[in-house]
Amino acid sequence: MVKVLGIHHIAIAVKNLDEAIKKFSAILGIEPEVEEVPEEKVRIAMFRVGDTFIELLEGTSPDSPISKFIEKRGEGIHHIALRVDNVEEFIKYLKSLNIRVIYEEPRVVSKGKRKITFTHPKDVYGVMLEYVEVLGE
Ligand code: CO
């Protein structure tokens, strides 16, 4: 049986990552880890808050999915990521529920530390969900 272990992160789309980092660093009292993912045209800042992260996302070009999201819906929560025990098993489970999965083969991200997929927001009340299997810290 598949299992949700917790909320891995909450991701927020922002127009200006450097400004958003300043604000969230002030609110949270910590500094993030920042990385750029050119193949996804995104810059990411991750703040560890207990067992959960707050992830800030900035599109690095107008055709980035994050830039398009902001154009359509404005800045704000972009997705919620569930930590799961086995992402492949979870993909099978989601398909059995007729929920559309965005990557049928999970993607390995964060330098091999996580395996992920997403489900279609239209199938889950307008909320994009991510499913994260943690491979390493
Ligand atoms: Co995410």
Side-chain angles (χ1 to χ4, degrees):
M1 201 45 210
V2 294
K3 206 169 180 185
V4 175
L5 305 171
I7 304 283
H8 185 271
H9 62 269
I10 296 168
I12 300 169
V14 302
K15 284 184 190 162
N16 183 323
L17 188 66
D18 296 326
E19 273 180 21
I21 285 172
K22 278 186 207 151
K23 184 164 283 181
F24 276 88
S25 294
I27 294 168
L28 300 171
I30 49 174
E31 295 297 320
E33 271 189 40
V34 182
E35 102 179 273
E36 179 156 359
V37 186
E39 60 273 25
E40 289 173 35
K41 296 175 183 163
V42 74
R43 264 203 325 145
I44 303 172
M46 291 287 266
F47 294 84
R48 181 188 271 280
V49 184
D51 289 333
T52 304
F53 293 86
I54 290 181
E55 178 179 85
L56 306 179
L57 300 169
E58 173 197 63
T60 53
S61 95
D63 64 337
S64 156
I66 298 303
S67 310
K68 287 187 199 155
F69 173 89
I70 290 173
E71 204 172 290
K72 255 196 256 168
R73 297 179 58 169
E75 292 175 297
I77 293 183
H78 179 266
H79 64 269
I80 297 172
L82 304 174
R83 182 170 174 171
V84 300
D85 58 345
N86 182 316
V87 76
E88 279 91 354
E89 289 300 314
F90 224 93
I91 288 169
K92 285 185 213 157
Y93 177 63
L94 290 162
K95 288 164 99 175
S96 79
L97 300 177
N98 284 320
I99 295 172
R100 282 173 289 171
V101 174
I102 293 175
Y103 306 133
E104 302 223 347
E105 279 295 313
R107 297 184 60 175
V108 177
V109 298
S110 288
K111 302 174 187 111
K113 288 191 283 190
R114 293 188 256 153
K115 246 188 324 188
I116 64 161
T117 193
F118 293 91
T119 44
H120 205 292
K122 286 201 174 127
D123 291 354
V124 193
Y125 302 96
V127 178
M128 179 136 92
L129 292 176
E130 180 179 347
Y131 305 81
V132 178
E133 180 181 335
V134 176
L135 305 171
E137 292 297 323

